[in-house]
Amino acid sequence: MSKIIKEIQEALAVLSIPEKAEFFPKFFKTGKGEYGEGDVFLGVKVPDQRSVAKEYYSKISLDELSELLSSKYHEHRLTALFILISKFEKTKDKAIKGEIVAFYLNHLQHVNNWDLVDSSCYKILGRYAFENQREDLLKKLSDSDEMWHKRIAVVGTMHYVKKGSFDLTKELVTQNLKHSHDLMHKANGWLLREMGQKNEAELITYLNKYYKEMPRTCLRYSIEKLDEELRQDYLKGRI
């Protein structure tokens, strides 16, 4: 173990809260969580993890970061992703950004629960794909048999949504409407809801075409910000 990895792990250990660490496995076992089975929790608050990441992102290499990202501890992996996000956001060098994206794609096996996906993919992969016209990266992930790869692809389009570009989001959501897992439906609905926040007419046009095919979870999330009367029309199928 490198010296800097040991420093980061010790810094997180000092910030740990045992009661919080005990909460997460119970949260998962009751079926309320979105964490991967087998994760071990230290109980470090996210703001504290971000503070550690801010302190160390410029000091740690990608090779060293892979060691932290492969840890069995959830907080180690999330802190590694916060560090990676900082590295990506702070550099202006396109080549270095490309190296960071390649690193991210080569370590997807360690980004295997929803918390890790949502905290990193659209800030790194989605932004890179948008800025460099690399939609193929997200489409390839969406075609994967791994559910979290599909989730990464869909959530990665959040940067497109924020920029008012919806075509890729709609394409990937439509592609995965029939997915078997409810958490995938939640991701789809969440992205559609955000699309509607940018352009409600765009969302309504999409809903009018596909709402009857949508699983209820996807539909419920996608219409969450619409007027009550319109939400009820979609839920009752009276459009």
Side-chain angles (χ1 to χ4, degrees), residues 163-175:
K163 295 294 185 180
S165 178
F166 310 122
D167 288 346
L168 181 60
T169 294
K170 291 187 290 186
E171 178 182 339
L172 298 190
V173 167
T174 305
Q175 181 179 330

Side-chain angles (χ1 to χ4, degrees), residues 6 28 36 40-41 47 51 54 63 65 71 76 80 93 102 122 126 157-158 164 167 192 219:
K6 189 173 182 181
F28 175 79
V40 179
F41 295 89
S51 294
K54 185 176 180 180
D63 286 340
L65 197 58
S71 171
H76 288 175
D93 190 310
Y122 81 87
T157 67
M158 173 60 78
D167 288 346
L192 291 175
L219 179 60

Side-chain angles (χ1 to χ4, degrees), residues 95-110:
I96 294 176
K97 284 183 180 288
E99 289 176 9
I100 292 170
V101 169
F103 176 89
Y104 186 83
L105 291 171
N106 288 332
H107 289 78
L108 290 180
Q109 71 271 28
H110 304 307

Side-chain angles (χ1 to χ4, degrees), residues 137-152:
L137 295 175
L138 298 175
K139 290 179 179 179
K140 184 177 180 180
L141 284 171
S142 187
D143 290 335
S144 169
D145 292 331
E146 299 286 356
M147 181 170 64
W148 72 83
H149 290 182
K150 292 180 182 293
R151 170 93 174 214
I152 286 170

Side-chain angles (χ1 to χ4, degrees), residues 9 11-25 35 39-49 72-79 115:
Q9 291 180 350
L12 291 170
V14 169
L15 296 167
S16 65
I17 304 169
E19 294 81 2
K20 192 172 188 291
E22 292 174 3
F23 168 77
F24 282 110
Y35 295 98
D39 278 353
V40 179
F41 295 89
L42 292 171
V44 184
K45 295 178 181 178
V46 167
D48 290 335
Q49 293 173 60
K72 66 180 179 179
Y73 291 102
H74 178 269
E75 287 88 347
H76 288 175
R77 285 149 57 209
L78 185 53
T79 302
D115 198 21

Side-chain angles (χ1 to χ4, degrees), residues 4 7-8 50-62 64-65 79-80 82-91 96 100:
I4 194 164
E7 281 185 31
I8 292 171
R50 287 199 175 104
S51 294
V52 172
K54 185 176 180 180
E55 180 179 352
Y56 285 96
Y57 83 88
S58 62
K59 305 174 185 177
I60 188 170
S61 69
L62 290 180
E64 290 170 320
L65 197 58
T79 302
F82 287 145
I83 289 172
L84 199 63
I85 291 167
S86 292
K87 281 182 171 292
F88 186 86
E89 291 179 338
K90 297 297 183 182
T91 184
I96 294 176
I100 292 170

